[in-house]
Amino acid sequence: MSLVKLYDTTLRDGTQAEDISLLVEDKVRIARKLDELGIQYIEGGWPGSNPKDVAFFKDIKKEKLRQAKIAAFGSTRRAKVTPDKDNNIVTLIKAEADAITIFGKTWDFHVREALRISLEENLELIYDSLEYLKKHAPEVFYDAEHFFDGYKANPDYAIKTLKAAEEANVDCIILCDTNGGTMPFEVAEIIKAVKEQIKTPLGIHAHNDSECAVANSLHAVDLGIVQVQGTINGFGERCGNANLCSIIPALKVKMAKECISDEQMRHLRELSRFVYELANISPDKHQAYVGNSAFAHKGGVHVSAIQRHPETYEHMRPELVGNCTRVLVSDLSGRSNILAKAEEFNINLDSKDPVTLEILDNIKEMENRGYQFEGAEASFELLMMKALGTHRKFFTVLGFRVIDEKRGEDQKPLAEATIMVRVGGKVEHTAAEGSGPVNALDNAIRKALEKFYPKLKEVKLLDYKVRVLPAGQGTASSTRVLIESGDRHTRWGTVGVSDNIIDASYQALIDSIDFKLHKSEEQE
Amino acid sequence: MSLVKLYDTTLRDGTQAEDISLLVEDKVRIARKLDELGIQYIEGGWPGSNPKDVAFFKDIKKEKLRQAKIAAFGSTRRAKVTPDKDNNIVTLIKAEADAITIFGKTWDFHVREALRISLEENLELIYDSLEYLKKHAPEVFYDAEHFFDGYKANPDYAIKTLKAAEEANVDCIILCDTNGGTMPFEVAEIIKAVKEQIKTPLGIHAHNDSECAVANSLHAVDLGIVQVQGTINGFGERCGNANLCSIIPALKVKMAKECISDEQMRHLRELSRFVYELANISPDKHQAYVGNSAFAHKGGVHVSAIQRHPETYEHMRPELVGNCTRVLVSDLSGRSNILAKAEEFNINLDSKDPVTLEILDNIKEMENRGYQFEGAEASFELLMMKALGTHRKFFTVLGFRVIDEKRGEDQKPLAEATIMVRVGGKVEHTAAEGSGPVNALDNAIRKALEKFYPKLKEVKLLDYKVRVLPAGQGTASSTRVLIESGDRHTRWGTVGVSDNIIDASYQALIDSIDFKLHKSEEQE
């Protein structure tokens, strides 16, 4: 079984994304996790370009990493300067990393137009920068920038740039698809050609501008490349870098290439979520392998088959990456979906029972009116409980009033809600303000019910989505509100539909509280 | 130049995604746009499984599509039944679509365990279902489900299933990577093998569970496949289907394969956004080709190079898909966008004038708060008029109050709005009801102002969209309301942003009326 080395550039190339900005402490925390996962190289930054990165290289030395090597990134020396006097090269060496990676120009066009030097000078630049660095760092890597475009434009010159690096005895030459525009069949052809002329171990650094970065990286490994560069969750400029979370499972499970251990891979999803958290970006639920929906099955046909033989509908076992199978409810569901979901909730429905058929009809009819139970399983469960007679009435809302008032042209409106609830024999009548009418109503509902059920204080509103449907009648249309709530342990979704947005929000809010109360009771 | 046919299954496979639920009207609107883009086949649904889809096939007949063919999806007949008595097949024919696509089992394991019939019976099932359908539909396609897994498990049998379809004279056999787990190099090998044994034109239907669906589809086309199935934005179950928005530009620009015209492709980004809007899903800013960040360049090294020679840093020109280059560090391109927009309104901004710079800063700041001027050009124009001092104050809103009141558990809340406006020296104070708080406010505003400006009676509210952003703080998030209004001649869009939905709606409603009054005055 051959070993492929993983080179993570989340902390360098990843942070070039428009929406990402990490503090030095965040980078250190991520580096620790990458090390635990078994990533062999962690590119920590570009010290010659970014002063924050100098701090990272200092701080990371205090960490006792288990196995990962830290790499520092930079560029070839400038044209008129010797390596020892080039500021970028000097800073790179000062970072005292375990490895140094520099990028250089491969495309003749770039050499002439961007660097404005001769093709020959560029080869010297590459050679002597690397030769110098080899004397000052344990491992040196060369990133051949725009390699595939450069090869397509002038294959001879592109190979010459690689040979310059080879002559300097670099440890690995990484072929970069910097523009991200190379097609998978082109990558395969070009790498085969390179392997005939270059003996140095090769790496791949793909970008996702054609949505082919993962495929290009896997092709490269299939052809004998030994280092794969990428980022966690595919973070990066423009369309991102090759996604290591999609590459690692493919390498291990489909290509029998060792890179990290089985036990380490079971923490892949956890690492993915951790990095999203620190970058303050919402996880992509449809992400391959580690996304919430990656093994979530809808569509009646499959579900019974999945339960009997998961391998018939899942390309691999989700547990290998720390994920799990989920069964969804929807109007596409045949009976088997709803029955499976009911089972998850420990509700046993008899598929031939007229009550079950009634529940199914009811759900289909509500969905035609705009209700959506995906993302609102808590509302679905409450619906079933009511149909089966197992729902408990924890409270009655006797009424509410929401007022939104604007006084004066430049004043923002003020929102206030009053509510009256009854629990047992006792009535609570109270009021609350809010940033808007829905927020005011939410505050009032909680204020009233928390008096009776203090546990409700744990409930937080995490997400609120509104959709007007159909968009044909302006403000008289139906509105669907989807709410996601959570406490310390779980998250749950609820839904409300009405042509009155307050009413739709009210339904979703009430279901959320109702669900929490049922859940708490079950736990006791 | 060879022609590749695009087969869109956004409305069928796409809707199997966890977070997507489209109404029939939404599907018809999307189908219209797909037709305009030049998509050759639109799979409208699975009538045998989903009653909503039966309605779609009825409604779509009323549309005058320019060129697209509508396809209906279903399965091979059930084991013990002849095709003419199989409910699914009968419903398919009843849909009266231009094409029928059925899927059948390819993997011997599925035949035995899921269908529980013999391998021979399965071949009969495939053959006679297709043979029967060929007599009842203009075009018939066969989706070989789990083809690649089936081929890997038992290549001979997998080919036999294709031959059964070939014998029935299907128009195209589509090889489906249903589990989404096939590697690009495997897809290439297997398709080459199939082409040696099957003469019928072939198609590809890839899933994105390994993040290789686009690459797999492009490999297939490279090897001679003539039909590519996918969805807009890659919507679909689990990790989604092959993303047509990433495939179309690759086909045309990188592989010289005709599929839609250059002019049609310029609307690709627009179509992508439209489908996101209807599905109520936030666009992926990092999406290939059409994402906001797809051509957004970090400054520094690139910027001057990009401006001189975009092809050195962009794998293709963004305008080809309706996108544009953005430079992030300097806001140079921010300015040119706004200047261009102002010109469209015959407002000449001097790019060096401090007033212009102030307008630019103001707009950027508003956009950061969530304002979006796409689809709200009327608000944009009013903003500029105010900044340039050409805005006329037709009315002053002194205040309003909106009340939403629910009395009793099963009562829907009632909504009432009161408003006070002043025009010239005169004050009007009135009230109105509505189906919800926003509708009530809209009715009250018009009632008050129509007294002074009877022309406002011509204004109709055509569309009302709400989006909560960012979805991190529950109901305290900011809400953006986009309104489309129209009179007998034109339509115009306005926007409002606030953490109070009534306030956001109010801003958009007031801008709409303000714009109409300015327009009317201009005409006189």
Side-chain angles (χ1 to χ4, degrees), chain A residues 459-523:
Chain A
V459 178
K460 298 253 168 293
L461 205 46
L462 300 172
D463 196 15
Y464 175 87
K465 277 190 170 121
V466 183
R467 171 84 199 278
V468 180
L469 35 100
Q473 295 166 52
T475 49
S477 315
S478 216
T479 303
R480 172 172 68 212
V481 168
L482 274 168
I483 273 176
E484 201 187 5
S485 313
D487 57 19
R488 274 169 303 178
H489 310 288
T490 43
R491 305 174 90 139
W492 59 94
T494 52
V495 65
V497 174
S498 172
D499 51 8
N500 178 323
I501 192 178
I502 304 292
D503 189 31
S505 306
Y506 167 78
Q507 293 172 31
L509 290 169
I510 288 298
D511 266 8
S512 169
I513 284 170
D514 202 359
F515 184 77
K516 165 70 175 177
L517 293 172
H518 276 84
K519 212 164 60 74
S520 299
E521 188 184 52
E522 208 178 296
Q523 282 156 6

Side-chain angles (χ1 to χ4, degrees), chain B residues 250-426:
Chain B
L251 292 180
K252 279 177 67 67
V253 178
K254 296 166 189 284
M255 295 173 72
K257 302 281 184 188
E258 269 313 305
C259 46
I260 65 178
S261 73
D262 294 349
E263 176 52 34
Q264 284 167 326
M265 193 165 80
R266 269 190 271 277
H267 295 275
L268 188 63
R269 179 176 145 92
E270 191 189 305
L271 172 66
S272 161
R273 309 291 283 193
F274 180 78
V275 175
Y276 271 123
E277 195 67 49
L278 255 58
N280 197 23
I281 290 183
S282 286
D284 173 7
K285 59 157 62 114
H286 294 286
Q287 193 167 332
Y289 300 100
V290 298
N292 272 358
S293 296
F295 297 91
H297 302 273
K298 193 182 77 84
V301 181
H302 305 339
V303 175
S304 41
I306 290 168
Q307 292 176 317
R308 287 198 308 267
H309 298 286
E311 67 276 18
T312 56
Y313 286 95
E314 287 182 341
H315 70 114
M316 65 167 246
R317 302 293 3 257
E319 292 76 27
L320 297 177
V321 293
N323 207 345
C324 64
T325 302
R326 286 169 55 225
V327 173
L328 298 177
V329 172
S330 79
D331 53 9
L332 279 177
S333 63
R335 283 182 197 177
S336 39
N337 272 9
I338 293 175
L339 291 174
K341 198 125 214 84
E343 261 182 62
E344 278 178 48
F345 298 140
N346 295 321
I347 295 171
N348 290 317
L349 293 181
D350 176 351
S351 63
K352 292 172 197 50
D353 187 333
V355 172
T356 301
L357 297 179
E358 208 184 294
I359 292 176
L360 287 169
D361 283 341
N362 193 23
I363 288 172
K364 271 190 138 55
E365 188 265 331
M366 287 177 81
E367 282 183 329
N368 282 342
R369 274 194 284 137
Y371 284 83
Q372 173 188 304
F373 292 105
E374 286 127 38
E377 273 99 0
S379 287
F380 179 80
E381 203 180 330
L382 289 166
L383 204 72
M384 292 213 293
M385 282 193 258
K386 285 170 187 166
L388 296 169
T390 57
H391 178 260
R392 199 189 126 179
K393 209 162 170 50
F394 286 96
F395 58 86
T396 303
V397 174
L398 299 169
F400 68 72
R401 181 190 297 142
V402 178
I403 301 177
D404 203 75
E405 183 167 341
K406 180 179 166 87
R407 283 269 152 259
E409 258 208 301
D410 298 314
Q411 300 302 313
K412 210 193 103 187
L414 294 174
E416 177 191 75
T418 64
I419 192 161
M420 199 187 281
V421 301
R422 187 180 62 221
V423 177
K426 221 168 167 264

Side-chain angles (χ1 to χ4, degrees), chain B residues 99-328:
Chain B
I100 290 179
T101 302
I102 60 169
F103 72 92
K105 299 291 180 203
T106 317
W107 194 350
D108 57 358
F109 189 23
H110 278 171
V111 174
R112 283 189 301 255
E113 295 299 319
L115 292 185
R116 313 218 184 189
I117 58 176
S118 75
L119 298 184
E120 199 46 53
E121 271 184 87
N122 184 47
L123 298 177
E124 284 165 32
L125 227 97
I126 293 171
Y127 173 79
D128 54 47
S129 305
L130 290 168
E131 198 234 1
Y132 183 76
L133 286 169
K134 274 293 282 179
K135 297 184 192 137
H136 293 91
E139 264 183 299
V140 178
F141 302 135
Y142 176 64
D143 276 358
E145 215 204 21
H146 291 98
F147 178 74
F148 298 90
D149 287 319
Y151 185 92
K152 286 195 261 181
N154 186 339
D156 290 333
Y157 185 69
I159 295 289
K160 277 191 179 147
T161 63
L162 302 191
K163 285 202 188 286
E166 184 159 65
E167 267 152 55
N169 274 321
V170 278
D171 297 280
C172 187
I173 293 174
I174 295 94
L175 310 176
C176 304
D177 183 23
T178 310
N179 279 357
T182 313
M183 296 279 93
F185 36 86
E186 293 177 320
V187 163
E189 283 313 300
I190 293 171
I191 290 180
K192 283 182 201 150
V194 170
K195 287 214 110 216
E196 282 167 23
Q197 308 187 62
I198 301 290
K199 297 301 144 222
T200 306
L202 297 174
I204 179 82
H205 176 114
H207 276 265
N208 211 26
D209 298 70
S210 307
E211 211 188 313
C212 291
V214 169
N216 287 347
S217 305
L218 298 177
H219 265 298
V221 172
D222 186 50
L223 292 166
I225 242 137
V226 299
Q227 188 192 108
V228 179
Q229 298 200 355
T231 60
I232 298 301
N233 302 327
F235 285 168
E237 253 189 294
R238 303 186 313 268
C239 307
N241 284 55
N243 186 348
L244 288 179
C245 299
S246 302
I247 288 171
I248 291 168
L251 292 180
K252 279 177 67 67
V253 178
K254 296 166 189 284
M255 295 173 72
K257 302 281 184 188
E258 269 313 305
C259 46
I260 65 178
S261 73
D262 294 349
E263 176 52 34
Q264 284 167 326
M265 193 165 80
R266 269 190 271 277
H267 295 275
L268 188 63
R269 179 176 145 92
E270 191 189 305
L271 172 66
S272 161
R273 309 291 283 193
F274 180 78
V275 175
Y276 271 123
E277 195 67 49
L278 255 58
N280 197 23
I281 290 183
S282 286
D284 173 7
K285 59 157 62 114
H286 294 286
Q287 193 167 332
Y289 300 100
V290 298
N292 272 358
S293 296
F295 297 91
H297 302 273
K298 193 182 77 84
V301 181
H302 305 339
V303 175
S304 41
I306 290 168
Q307 292 176 317
R308 287 198 308 267
H309 298 286
E311 67 276 18
T312 56
Y313 286 95
E314 287 182 341
H315 70 114
M316 65 167 246
R317 302 293 3 257
E319 292 76 27
L320 297 177
V321 293
N323 207 345
C324 64
T325 302
R326 286 169 55 225
V327 173
L328 298 177

